[in-house]
Amino acid sequence: MAIIGKLFVNSLKMLVVPLVLISLICGVCGIGDIRLLGRIGTKTFLIYMMTTALAIATAIGLGSLFGIGKGMDIATEAAFEAKSAPPLLDVFSNIIPSNPISAMANGDMLSIIFFAILIGISILMVGKPAKGLVQSLELINEVIMNLAPYGVFALLTKAMAELGLDLIWSLLGYVAVLVGSLAFHFFITMMIVLKLFSGLSVRTFLAKMREVQIFAFSTSSSNATIPITLRTVTKRMGVNNSVASFTVPFGATINMDGTAIMQGTATIFIANIYGIDLGVTEYLTVILMSVLASVGTAGVPGVGLIMLSMVFAQVGLPIEGIGLILGVDRILDMLRTAVNVGGDAAVTAIVAKSEDKMDVAIYNDPDAGTKDVFDGHIDKDSKREFSEVFSDGLMGSEYDDVDRRK
Ligand code: ASP
């Protein structure tokens, strides 16, 4: 088991750099046509990022408060030393890699991220001809994910053999704090943000979101949920399609509050398990990296956890820690996806209301749009609504994805 686990950890490490590079390029490409970004786009982007940062802060706060994973002190096999954080000035001046290949060879996350964002923007500027390239990159992401389960089994068995039931108790603490943070963020933080910025009824929002969240929960995929989120915000909440057709797919691609919460909680948990102390600089780094990692996470099952390797690499935590939490990730993925789409819809409502692109009468009518609830069938209309913005721009690949899955 130790050998198989080690092989898995090595393959995970092997994937970190290509995965971060590729996923972030895909994340940036999710913006679609960059010229359409404009004022609404910028506003949406900023609110998405702000709520994601709030989400991580909640996770870190609760994780530290409950001290999840403390007292385990697993020694890492690889001689591991927490990197001392480099001076801030160096961090900034080294962000632009003078040699991207050497940045990748050294695993300089920030430089790789910068490079990825730059390539993503360039692909957007090339436009349609680059679509094939982006689809190939998305496929590579999927291929990588298929390797995961075998290694997880071995890693968990080995850890259990060494630590026995203590590990299970510790993992239960992780799950409990994570679920608590997800609930806190969605039901408290996001609802305060919704009320504060839009004045809309929180109760109505929650009632109308139920169906979307159940769908997200059962598919664990923000992408697959796009049609039903879109339908709910337009038909049931009265958001004008011109706003929703941009903000919903955009959010499903880059806005992942639930995923970010998992990454924050997991960082605290794994640091404690290995007895590594994180300082203020590390916490700030975790916030920044988790925001970026959630942008890079594709809205399909399980990717968030693999993107966690990017956070770990930058903070200096052992990547093999991911193997320990992978075993409980399936159900957590379902929950965090429900929070992810909840955030997309809340921000959509806020932006639409502030832009006067919302029919508040529809929002307040409890029965609005109930006749054409989503029945799993993607009709031509909703497809057109979406592709107006995206296929004319660059991507539209989320829809191909949905079709393929169907
Ligand atoms: N499953 C999540 C989503 O689609 C992404 C993740 O965190 O793995 O939103």
Side-chain angles (χ1 to χ4, degrees), residues 219-223 252 255-256 258-259 262 297-305 329 333-334 336-338 340-341:
T219 57
S220 286
S221 168
S222 308
N223 277 7
N255 180 52
M256 311 255 168
T259 302
M262 177 276 288
T297 303
V300 292
V303 180
L305 198 69
D329 196 58
D333 192 10
M334 299 167 88
R336 70 172 176 261
T337 308
N340 287 347
V341 298

Side-chain angles (χ1 to χ4, degrees), residues 45 57 92 125 138 179 234 236 266 342:
F45 181 74
F92 282 111
M125 284 156 81
E138 281 170 357
V179 172
T234 52
R236 300 213 58 204

Side-chain angles (χ1 to χ4, degrees), residues 231 377-387 399:
R231 194 176 291 240
H377 175 75
I378 300 162
D379 62 28
K380 278 214 219 79
D381 275 356
S382 63
K383 191 157 182 161
R384 200 166 348 106
E385 285 165 9
F386 175 74
S387 40
Y399 256 88

Side-chain angles (χ1 to χ4, degrees), residues 11 18-19 23 32 72 82 98 126 151 195 219 253 275 280 306 329 392 403:
S11 51
L19 187 73
S23 319
M72 298 289 294
S98 56
V126 171
K195 191 81 202 167
T219 57
T253 313
V280 178
I306 303 295
D329 196 58
D392 288 353
D403 279 339

Side-chain angles (χ1 to χ4, degrees), residues 1 14 44 83 92 156 192 240 245 250 257 282 317 337 353 387 403:
M1 288 307 168
M14 168 183 88
T44 312
K83 282 187 281 179
F92 282 111
L156 266 185
I192 292 177
N240 194 299
S245 62
F250 188 39
D257 296 358
E282 278 88 9
L317 293 182
T337 308
K353 180 80 193 328
S387 40
D403 279 339

